Amino acid sequence: MGFGLICAGYSTLIFLRLVPVELFGFFFVLKGLTKLRSYNKYFAYARLSVYPVLLFSLADAVYWILNRLGVVTYSYTDNLFAFLHSLVLLPFYFLLFAALREISNEVGYPKGMKRATLATSTAIVYYLVLSLSKMRIPQLDQYFIAAEYIFYIVLFVVTELAVYACYRAITTDEAEKREEEELRKFEERFGKNRKGINKSTVTEKKKK
């Protein structure tokens, strides 16, 4: 299911770019959004917004490898990469939350709408704090940097919860087809066994 792939792929952001696994994670996100893009336009837009994230993640992975080889060292470049990382994720966040809110509204799932709205509000606060932390305001700089990391984690959690809520509550056509196929196999398997039991029972009665 698309929601499950998004949830699993997005979870790689918890590594805070310490390990270059985000590239692989967003391939799963892209696949999940591809499955969901027919449900509303925001899923399709969110899917397009993943491509810049993939390109950045590739560049970041190369940068990480070069750093481990000693070719480059963490300095101003790392701060620049961290800032660009947040910027390329900005369209993805707001388009994904719009898609979740839209599909939750269509299926009459108010909890999903509330979580998507909460995630949107959290993203706004995070990017506001991020902007303030980059201004390097004297005496407040360290507080804004700490707040930036805190809201990054908060945004990560509320995003996962918003996607997971839809994963648990909203059934897509793909999931329905899978359930119908499993039900058909179940009926074929146990239907045959039931017929066999009935037949043996009738045979025993005739012998008596």
Side-chain angles (χ1 to χ4, degrees):
M1 182 186 290
F3 293 119
L5 290 171
I6 295 171
C7 203
Y10 177 77
S11 65
T12 57
L13 285 182
I14 196 60
F15 292 101
L16 298 169
R17 298 175 52 245
L18 297 175
V19 183
V21 295
E22 187 178 311
L23 177 63
F24 303 102
F26 268 84
F27 271 117
F28 284 103
V29 173
L30 179 65
K31 188 173 181 180
L33 290 170
T34 300
K35 290 176 177 291
L36 294 167
R37 62 180 172 174
S38 61
Y39 289 96
N40 66 57
K41 61 183 180 181
Y42 294 110
F43 280 121
Y45 296 154
R47 177 179 176 272
L48 294 177
S49 73
V50 170
Y51 288 105
V53 180
L54 288 173
L55 289 175
F56 174 85
S57 298
L58 177 61
D60 198 36
V62 172
Y63 174 65
W64 184 89
I65 293 170
L66 292 176
N67 175 261
R68 291 296 179 275
L69 295 175
V71 178
V72 296
T73 57
Y74 288 130
S75 57
Y76 174 77
T77 308
D78 188 55
N79 293 328
L80 177 62
F81 265 71
F83 183 64
L84 291 175
H85 178 252
S86 298
L87 286 184
V88 296
L89 283 171
L90 192 152
F92 165 75
Y93 276 126
F94 288 101
L95 290 169
L96 175 65
F97 299 151
L100 297 178
R101 192 165 50 247
E102 181 77 13
I103 196 170
S104 296
N105 181 49
E106 289 175 359
V107 301
Y109 182 44
K111 185 177 180 180
M113 293 179 63
K114 289 179 181 178
R115 290 200 173 181
T117 301
L118 174 62
T120 303
S121 302
T122 305
I124 292 172
V125 175
Y126 167 71
Y127 279 100
L128 176 61
V129 171
L130 176 67
S131 300
L132 293 172
S133 71
K134 299 307 176 186
M135 291 180 182
R136 304 301 185 194
I137 301 174
Q139 298 179 344
L140 296 176
D141 186 35
Q142 57 181 342
Y143 299 107
F144 283 129
I145 292 175
E148 176 189 341
Y149 283 103
I150 291 171
F151 275 100
Y152 179 91
I153 299 300
V154 173
L155 179 59
F156 171 81
V157 172
V158 297
T159 301
E160 283 280 43
L161 290 175
V163 177
Y164 185 71
C166 291
Y167 169 73
R168 288 292 303 272
I170 299 176
T171 304
T172 61
D173 292 340
E174 178 189 2
E176 287 181 353
K177 289 178 181 178
R178 187 169 62 249
E179 289 176 359
E180 289 175 359
E181 181 65 19
E182 290 176 355
L183 180 60
R184 184 184 63 80
K185 291 180 179 178
F186 178 86
E187 289 178 344
E188 287 180 354
R189 178 182 176 185
F190 289 95
K192 290 179 180 179
N193 291 339
R194 189 163 52 246
K195 289 177 182 179
I197 292 171
N198 293 338
K199 185 176 180 181
S200 61
T201 303
V202 172
T203 305
E204 289 179 3
K205 286 184 178 179
K206 286 182 177 181
K207 288 182 179 179
K208 292 181 180 179

